[in-house]
Amino acid sequence: MNDINMTYEEALSHAPNEEPARQYFFIERCQDMLEKLKESSGKEAFTFHIATFGCQMNSRDSEKLQGILEAIGFVETDTEEADFVLYNTCTVRENANDRVYGRLGFLNGLKKKNPHMMIALCGCMMQEEKVVAKIKKSYRFVDIIFGTHNIFKLAELIHERLEAKKMVVDIWEGTDRIVEDLPTERKYPFKSGVNIMFGCNNFCSYCIVPYVRGRERSRNPEDIVEEVRQLAADGVVEIMLLGQNVNSYGTSSENPVSFAELLTRIDQVEGLERIRFMTSHPKDLSDELIEAMKKSKKVCSHLHLPLQSGSSRVLKIMNRKYTRERYLELVEKIKTAMPDISLTTDIIVGFPGETEEDFQETLDVVRKVRFDSAFTFIYSKRTGTPAADMEEISPDVVKNRFDRLLAEVQKISAEVCGRDEHTVQKVLAEEVNDYEKGLLTGRMSNNTTVHFKGDPSLIGKIVDVHLDESKGFYYMGTLA
Ligand code: 5AD
Ligand code: SF4
């Protein structure tokens, strides 16, 4: 029974306890409430807008949140002048937090003009107590706050907000629950992220992720393969398997299946053409995985392998559990097995106590490995992490090192990325190029971008493209 005339208390007592049935119950009630609001306001549609900060995990979460909002009956709009605005936040570095506070002020202005507007915040930043306290105190106009463990509950939270008419705050400290089978809405029809695990157990000393995303939990391999099968049947040709540390997939499960074994199973899904995954931790990358990647025709020729620092001394304080030598050996092994593979990485500059010598070691690893690209970050102090108690180094020194690293990374990248010039490569056409009419933009197996003339009907297809000219980080090509 789900009668819209039930009181809030009656509705709560009738809601099923098991998931996802409970959420479908609240989705239905929200649908009715939205219809009533439409009637009373005379508005034809209630719109929503999701702004996603941070990593691919958040992007995937946003697709799930979008699925729920659309099931309720909200209609997507690309501006923040919407009736439901949701910020899916990131807190990995402090500047991400500052951006959210800045934009909240702007949202408040919009809300004053639209009495129906609801503002919701979720994601990693909300898992920090001090953030929630600040919002409760200084940003009273926010309607709903939830975290990373309960995104599946969005319909229930909206229901509560509409009924209770006060700020709804629901943050879970941790969970071992994984709720399957809620509606999701993909951003691209032909590619999708697939979560294989949640959380992280590594506690790198600079990183806040284990505190906000909780302990490692792996999904059942059967559920993952089934999801991939359904995606492929629905036209998806490329998937990205997502986890904070995919190489330790399954280790926390009752019947462990290794990541290599999971890849092999997914490889057999018919219709699927490309498999990507991220992120790999060098300490857990097994020979079995290298073998599985080498054997597979679908696993892309790309590996993102965060280095963080090239100094064994710094790596130790970072709690990364590998040395510079082990990292270099691993890279050697991977390159020997797959000579064409493209390697990318993450590097942090200015970790507490980093000396010029340490930094030179990082530059040295960058020169030895010759990454296709590297994401370079200035160390950002995160409250609650072990590194937050270590003495920081001068910002001028950090900035100078950052600039030198970036110059080195870009120089190498331009040399390495051009290696396929004048060859024909398989490219997944992904979108119409915004800057030049008639051009499509796609990606090679090794993740390099290619622009080429083509009809939009090719989007979602893998086509042969001749790489006419390397532009450093991307190619200009023509259909072969
Ligand atoms: N400061 C700077 N960079 C960080 N990262 C994680 N935590 C921090 C921090 N406190 C970087 C790491 C990681 C990437 C996702 O973000 O390089 O691999
Ligand atoms: Fe953070 Fe390290 Fe876990 Fe990556 S592996 S999420 S850097 S703690």
Side-chain angles (χ1 to χ4, degrees):
M1 186 190 117
N2 193 0
D3 178 351
I4 186 68
N5 296 317
M6 279 191 283
T7 65
Y8 181 47
E9 284 68 30
E10 276 171 346
L12 286 187
S13 68
H14 279 88
N17 284 325
E18 69 279 8
E19 297 293 2
R22 185 175 173 88
Q23 295 316 310
Y24 281 102
F25 174 91
F26 284 113
I27 287 174
E28 217 179 285
R29 284 191 62 85
C30 287
Q31 285 168 348
D32 290 337
M33 289 165 113
L34 205 62
E35 281 308 313
K36 282 203 165 162
L37 274 175
K38 273 196 226 166
E39 269 169 40
S40 64
S41 66
K43 278 166 86 116
E44 258 180 37
F46 273 67
T47 54
F48 76 92
H49 178 80
I50 304 180
T52 309
F53 302 80
C55 69
Q56 318 235 359
M57 290 278 194
N58 268 15
S59 303
R60 183 63 183 149
D61 284 351
S62 289
E63 292 187 343
K64 296 178 182 171
L65 294 160
Q66 172 154 353
I68 297 171
L69 290 172
E70 291 191 352
I72 290 173
F74 286 101
V75 179
E76 189 181 16
T77 171
D78 56 9
T79 84
E80 288 173 358
E81 283 178 49
D83 300 300
F84 192 95
V85 174
L86 173 61
Y87 281 179
N88 189 359
T89 62
C90 167
T91 186
V92 81
R93 286 169 292 275
E94 184 67 31
N95 53 6
N97 293 33
D98 295 339
R99 273 172 66 204
V100 169
Y101 290 126
R103 280 171 69 161
L104 273 179
F106 166 71
L107 283 192
N108 191 22
L110 293 180
K111 190 168 177 172
K112 285 188 181 135
K113 288 188 240 150
N114 177 1
H116 294 289
M117 185 172 177
M118 277 192 270
I119 300 172
L121 303 174
C122 69
C124 293
M125 203 177 142
M126 300 306 129
Q127 292 291 140
E128 289 184 272
E129 262 172 48
K130 65 166 200 237
V131 169
V132 175
K134 178 165 169 172
I135 293 168
K136 277 185 177 162
K137 182 162 173 267
S138 312
Y139 299 83
R140 293 293 315 160
F141 54 89
V142 170
D143 295 279
I144 303 173
I145 304 177
F146 58 109
T148 54
H149 301 297
N150 52 351
I151 60 161
F152 70 92
K153 268 185 80 178
L154 179 59
E156 185 170 346
L157 300 175
I158 293 177
H159 179 260
E160 187 180 342
R161 174 67 189 89
L162 289 173
E163 289 276 13
K165 303 200 167 43
K166 60 175 181 14
M167 189 193 258
V168 173
V169 182
D170 191 16
I171 308 288
W172 298 4
E173 241 183 59
T175 185
D176 48 16
R177 274 176 96 179
I178 296 176
V179 176
E180 302 275 351
D181 298 328
L182 279 157
T184 61
E185 187 59 42
R186 288 198 306 277
K187 195 167 165 213
Y188 297 93
F190 54 86
K191 67 171 182 178
S192 178
V194 174
N195 296 108
I196 64 165
M197 59 200 300
F198 304 92
C200 181
N201 285 353
N202 290 315
F203 292 95
C204 300
S205 63
Y206 51 81
C207 186
I208 200 164
V209 168
Y211 305 89
V212 295
R213 288 261 170 188
R215 293 296 63 70
E216 223 168 82
R217 304 165 308 279
S218 293
R219 282 177 74 197
N220 292 326
E222 295 78 21
D223 290 338
I224 298 169
V225 173
E226 186 48 35
E227 180 176 341
V228 175
R229 219 176 260 135
Q230 284 178 14
L231 288 168
D234 195 30
V236 167
V237 291
E238 177 177 306
I239 55 160
M240 165 85 84
L241 303 174
L242 297 170
Q244 238 74 48
N245 176 12
V246 293
N247 304 100
S248 70
Y249 169 79
T251 44
S252 54
S253 307
E254 257 176 47
N255 305 308
V257 162
S258 69
F259 180 57
E261 166 63 22
L262 181 72
L263 264 193
T264 311
R265 290 193 198 176
I266 293 175
D267 203 63
Q268 287 152 20
V269 173
E270 221 161 288
L272 185 69
E273 304 205 44
R274 283 182 168 182
I275 305 171
R276 302 185 184 279
F277 55 85
M278 90 187 314
T279 295
S280 291
H281 195 307
K283 81 175 165 61
D284 296 313
L285 201 140
S286 66
D287 292 353
E288 188 199 3
L289 177 64
I290 298 176
E291 206 40 44
M293 289 177 72
K294 191 178 158 181
K295 272 202 201 128
S296 162
K297 292 228 161 33
K298 296 181 184 171
V299 174
C300 288
S301 184
H302 172 217
L303 186 68
H304 185 68
L305 195 62
L307 167 69
Q308 312 299 8
S309 166
S311 148
S312 297
R313 192 188 75 82
V314 172
L315 285 169
K316 191 158 179 31
I317 310 171
M318 285 180 163
N319 194 28
R320 290 290 289 176
K321 303 201 170 75
Y322 54 86
T323 58
R324 100 192 228 102
E325 289 74 24
R326 253 209 65 202
Y327 187 92
L328 288 170
E329 276 164 32
L330 183 60
V331 165
E332 210 36 57
K333 224 191 298 182
I334 294 164
K335 283 188 169 173
T336 308
M338 294 165 281
D340 294 332
I341 199 158
S342 131
L343 290 173
T344 58
T345 200
D346 292 342
I347 299 170
I348 297 176
V349 180
F351 183 79
E354 181 190 74
T355 63
E356 178 61 26
E357 254 172 24
D358 294 320
F359 176 68
Q360 286 299 334
E361 298 224 62
T362 298
L363 280 181
D364 184 59
V365 174
V366 165
R367 289 182 191 121
K368 287 201 162 92
V369 178
R370 298 179 62 75
F371 295 105
D372 276 64
S373 71
F375 297 98
T376 48
F377 304 109
I378 285 181
Y379 167 75
S380 168
K381 173 175 168 172
R382 309 313 290 128
T383 312
T385 61
D389 298 329
M390 302 174 194
E391 200 170 326
E392 285 187 71
I393 57 179
S394 130
D396 293 344
V397 173
V398 179
K399 178 77 180 65
N400 173 278
R401 284 184 196 158
F402 182 83
D403 291 345
R404 281 187 284 155
L405 176 66
L406 193 63
E408 193 66 37
V409 158
Q410 288 181 342
K411 185 177 119 229
I412 295 172
S413 180
E415 291 164 13
V416 177
C417 290
R419 65 177 175 258
D420 293 316
E421 200 178 32
H422 306 312
T423 64
V424 173
Q425 299 289 333
K426 300 250 176 256
V427 174
L428 171 60
E430 298 198 342
E431 53 203 356
V432 170
N433 187 304
D434 286 341
Y435 299 101
E436 204 177 316
K437 230 177 141 216
L439 284 190
L440 298 179
T441 297
R443 269 171 205 283
M444 293 166 31
S445 168
N446 73 8
N447 214 29
T448 307
T449 304
V450 184
H451 305 294
F452 58 100
K453 264 211 183 86
D455 190 81
S457 63
L458 292 177
I459 289 174
K461 299 204 168 62
I462 295 179
V463 291
D464 285 324
V465 177
H466 182 267
L467 306 178
D468 304 331
E469 190 189 354
S470 163
K471 297 276 193 185
F473 310 103
Y474 64 93
Y475 287 103
M476 299 307 297
T478 20
L479 280 168

